[in-house]
Amino acid sequence: MKLCIASKTHLDFLIYNKLGKGAVLAIEVDGFKFHKQGSKQFGRDRIKDRILKK
């Protein structure tokens, strides 16, 4: 299951409570070898990291 955080930005896996519809666990695989620093995807990955830390 993918959760859309922003256009073109998704989480790889999201486990949620079916009854309460709340997220229980989010998993994101950055693939940092393919996203060079300064690229658009690198910036999107940093945004996701900040959102997930909250």
Side-chain angles (χ1 to χ4, degrees):
M1 169 176 271
K2 290 190 174 196
L3 171 69
C4 183
I5 294 175
S7 65
K8 299 182 183 181
T9 302
H10 301 83
L11 291 173
D12 294 308
F13 299 95
L14 177 66
I15 298 171
Y16 69 100
N17 181 325
K18 192 173 183 179
L19 295 175
K21 308 266 186 201
V24 176
L25 175 69
I27 300 172
E28 172 58 26
V29 181
D30 285 339
F32 63 90
K33 290 183 179 181
F34 303 104
H35 303 153
K36 296 187 187 222
Q37 190 168 359
S39 70
K40 288 182 182 181
Q41 186 59 48
F42 182 84
R44 288 191 287 263
D45 287 346
R46 298 292 73 78
I47 292 169
K48 281 190 285 186
D49 290 344
R50 287 193 303 269
I51 291 169
L52 291 171
K53 283 181 183 178
K54 290 179 181 184

